[in-house]
Amino acid sequence: MRHRVAGRKLGRPTSHRLHLLRNQATDLFRYERIQTTDAKAREVQRFAEKFVTLAKRGDLHARRQAYAGLFDEKVVDKLFVELSPRFTERAGGYTRLVKLGPRKRDGAPMAVLELVL
């Protein structure tokens, strides 16, 4: 039984998987939309929404947690200064996942993950 087991392993060791999520979340906040496989997009969505919640809090501890979790300091500053005011009225659901067709070379299901608003 898989009770209380959340998340996907994505066929990678733990450190590689965490770096992948951090990279993709950083790129999501930098470009405000990324295209990736469906499974990765779902995991990045869970990961990135936590950072938007931190940015909405806006205190020093939340900013330090975001610096620890994302790779680029400029992206963290953008998240706290530019992006978080857009989400002040939203209680959640800061990202949108749009499914695309399969990728040509291997048939992997693709998706676009983007920030709402």
Side-chain angles (χ1 to χ4, degrees):
M1 289 180 279
R2 299 196 61 219
H3 299 309
R4 298 175 58 95
V5 178
R8 295 166 180 81
K9 292 188 178 180
L10 301 173
R12 290 165 169 79
T14 305
S15 61
H16 187 184
R17 183 172 60 251
L18 293 178
H19 270 72
L20 171 84
L21 293 175
R22 289 174 66 188
N23 270 329
Q24 295 225 334
T26 302
D27 284 343
L28 174 64
F29 295 131
R30 179 180 291 132
Y31 302 116
E32 299 187 19
R33 87 185 278 153
I34 57 172
Q35 180 176 339
T36 183
T37 62
D38 188 45
K40 287 180 197 171
R42 288 173 188 269
E43 285 304 304
V44 172
Q45 186 175 27
R46 293 177 58 222
F47 192 74
E49 298 236 353
K50 295 176 184 178
F51 285 105
V52 175
T53 305
L54 283 176
K56 281 177 61 176
R57 247 182 37 208
D59 58 352
L60 180 61
H61 183 57
R63 189 176 284 260
R64 286 179 175 163
Q65 286 179 313
Y67 281 131
L70 297 175
F71 281 130
D72 192 0
E73 293 180 5
K74 291 180 183 177
V75 171
V76 174
D77 294 337
K78 177 182 178 180
L79 176 63
F80 275 74
V81 174
E82 295 176 25
L83 299 178
S84 65
R86 297 193 329 199
F87 299 116
T88 54
E89 299 298 318
R90 289 185 79 91
Y94 312 114
T95 58
R96 175 183 301 127
L97 186 67
V98 179
K99 291 187 178 186
L100 303 173
R103 187 163 50 195
K104 284 191 184 254
R105 65 179 183 266
D106 62 353
M110 298 297 287
V112 169
L113 182 63
E114 58 190 1
L115 295 176
V116 178
L117 294 177

